[in-house]
């Protein structure tokens, strides 16, 4: 596990050969996968989006390597309003789209499962 929900993040991770799942954790401890991050992304976006902690849990799904960067270094670069800012914001938009699609698919799957249970 890279980090747990609610912890203060000190680093971000750029997966190179690993795959990381982001899980949303409910108050009763249950979790659901909301996104997957591979070599195209970054784990820890809340650091540059204004938060010091996150509501998700990051779990390594496939062993491999990642580049770890101190949070302050990324925040300093982000605040320069240069090309890194624009890349990170575009990635964040893509991640939000992926999370939205996952939520819709999970909702459809639950509806089909409920319907199937009622038919049997």
């Amino acid at each position: 596990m890279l980090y747990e929900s609610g912890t203060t993040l000190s680093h971000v991770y750029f997966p190179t050969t690993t795959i990381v799942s982001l899980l949303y954790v409910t108050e009763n401890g249950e979790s659901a996968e909301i996104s997957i991050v591979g070599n195209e992304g970054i784990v820890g976006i809340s650091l540059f989006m204004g938060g010091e902690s996150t509501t998700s849990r990051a779990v390594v799904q496939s062993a491999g390597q990642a580049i770890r960067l101190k949070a302050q270094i990324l925040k300093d670069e982000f605040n320069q309003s240069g090309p890194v800012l624009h890349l990170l914001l575009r990635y964040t938009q893509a991640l939000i789209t992926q999370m939205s699609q996952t939520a819709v698919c999970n909702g459809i799957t639950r509806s089909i499962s409920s319907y199937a249970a009622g038919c049997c």
Side-chain angles (χ1 to χ4, degrees):
M1 181 168 351
L2 291 178
Y3 58 75
E4 185 61 65
S5 174
T7 58
T8 300
L9 303 179
S10 59
H11 293 84
V12 295
Y13 299 87
F14 295 90
T16 56
T17 61
T18 189
I19 297 172
V20 179
S21 287
L22 301 180
L23 307 169
Y24 182 80
V25 182
T26 64
E27 288 182 10
N28 66 1
E30 293 182 16
S31 63
E33 186 174 72
I34 55 174
S35 185
I36 297 173
V37 181
N39 64 1
E40 79 295 338
I42 180 174
V43 178
I45 66 166
S46 61
L47 283 170
F48 60 83
M49 295 301 291
E52 295 295 321
S53 65
T54 181
T55 58
S56 63
R57 175 187 294 159
V59 179
V60 174
Q61 290 296 328
S62 176
Q65 297 181 338
I67 297 168
R68 185 172 93 156
L69 183 66
K70 289 184 179 182
Q72 193 59 52
I73 293 172
L74 183 71
K75 287 193 273 187
D76 290 345
E77 187 61 36
F78 185 84
N79 291 330
Q80 295 295 318
S81 299
V84 171
L85 168 102
H86 298 289
L87 283 171
L88 291 173
L89 289 178
R90 278 200 308 259
Y91 172 73
T92 301
Q93 181 180 15
L95 184 64
I96 290 169
T97 300
Q98 180 188 18
M99 290 176 174
S100 299
Q101 291 170 340
T102 299
V104 169
C105 290
N106 285 343
I108 291 170
T109 301
R110 275 191 221 103
S111 295
I112 291 170
S113 297
S114 296
Y115 176 76
C119 291
C120 299

